[in-house]
Amino acid sequence: MRASPRLAVCPGSFDPLTNGHVDMIVRGARLFEQVIVAVLANAEKQPWFTAEERVALIREVLADRTDTANVSVEAFDGLLADYVRHRRATAVLRGLRTTSEFADEAQMAMMNHHLNPQCETVFLVPLPGVSFISSRLIKDVARMGGSVEGLVPAAVVRALAARRRPSHAVST
Ligand code: PNS
């Protein structure tokens, strides 16, 4: 069966969504007719946010924008290559922040293509202003009480503040 034209899946853990992700989603929405932000349900053993919370946060952030009308958000589980086939997408959209990420990302792209030859991976290079942001670093900074303003959308700043565990109390 022929794949739908120009539908891209933008997969990730999104625990939580960052301004780097938003940059990639917005630019993907300009390149493709339709983009599905696909949130991996079992991203980590102990994610800060459940899949439902991550999906809801991304939807809330994108609802405030005028340039993401062709973007939808949903959770997925299992192999990305299977999900891409199920959705009849032709492309997987990933960001490439650093050269050190390239090896892992290229390997993943090759495996996805092996599992589903219809599945092409398109890499976008983030804007320099957001290229140092990662969900892992955001959680580290938030956990230790640092400011993540300007690095994640306002709704995510609020969600992180509500979730933050105190790091100052050292048990003896
Ligand atoms: O935001 P992340 O954690 O970098 O996203 C990684 C993700 C979700 C794209 C990747 O872990 C994935 O596709 N997981 C689904 C399971 C799968 O297909 N694994 C084989 C990948 S080659």
Side-chain angles (χ1 to χ4, degrees):
M1 194 179 299
R2 199 176 167 276
S4 305
R6 298 187 59 206
L7 164 64
V9 166
C10 181
S13 308
F14 302 103
D15 186 45
L17 180 78
T18 68
N19 284 352
H21 292 133
V22 174
D23 167 54
M24 196 177 57
I25 293 165
V26 167
R27 289 156 74 198
R30 278 190 226 129
L31 285 174
F32 291 91
E33 285 166 4
Q34 245 190 300
V35 174
I36 302 176
V37 178
V39 177
L40 182 64
N42 294 327
E44 241 181 66
K45 280 198 181 114
Q46 286 191 307
W48 275 35
F49 299 97
T50 65
E52 292 73 24
E53 288 170 329
R54 283 176 271 145
V55 167
L57 261 177
I58 300 168
R59 283 185 182 151
E60 182 184 342
V61 170
L62 298 187
D64 284 344
R65 306 188 60 103
T66 55
D67 49 6
T68 51
N70 56 339
V71 180
S72 58
V73 189
E74 64 184 28
F76 84 103
D77 223 335
L79 284 175
L80 178 61
D82 290 342
Y83 174 77
V84 166
R85 186 181 288 113
H86 168 67
R87 280 281 167 235
R88 293 190 211 159
T90 45
V92 167
L93 203 55
R94 292 286 288 173
L96 258 192
R97 284 172 299 203
T98 58
T99 48
S100 59
E101 269 184 353
F102 177 76
D104 284 350
E105 290 292 335
Q107 222 177 355
M108 206 159 80
M110 287 185 262
M111 179 59 84
N112 284 329
H113 191 264
H114 170 79
L115 295 170
N116 174 4
Q118 301 259 310
C119 174
E120 300 292 351
T121 300
V122 173
F123 293 110
L124 294 183
V125 177
L127 294 176
V130 296
S131 61
F132 65 96
I133 308 171
S134 73
S135 297
R136 183 180 60 79
L137 286 182
I138 290 296
K139 284 182 282 190
D140 274 359
V141 172
R143 182 186 295 117
M144 297 185 193
S147 170
V148 292
E149 298 262 357
L151 305 177
V152 296
V156 177
V157 174
R158 290 193 293 274
L160 284 166
R163 188 83 18 138
R164 198 177 70 210
R165 281 151 280 189
S167 63
H168 306 299
V170 179
S171 55
T172 51

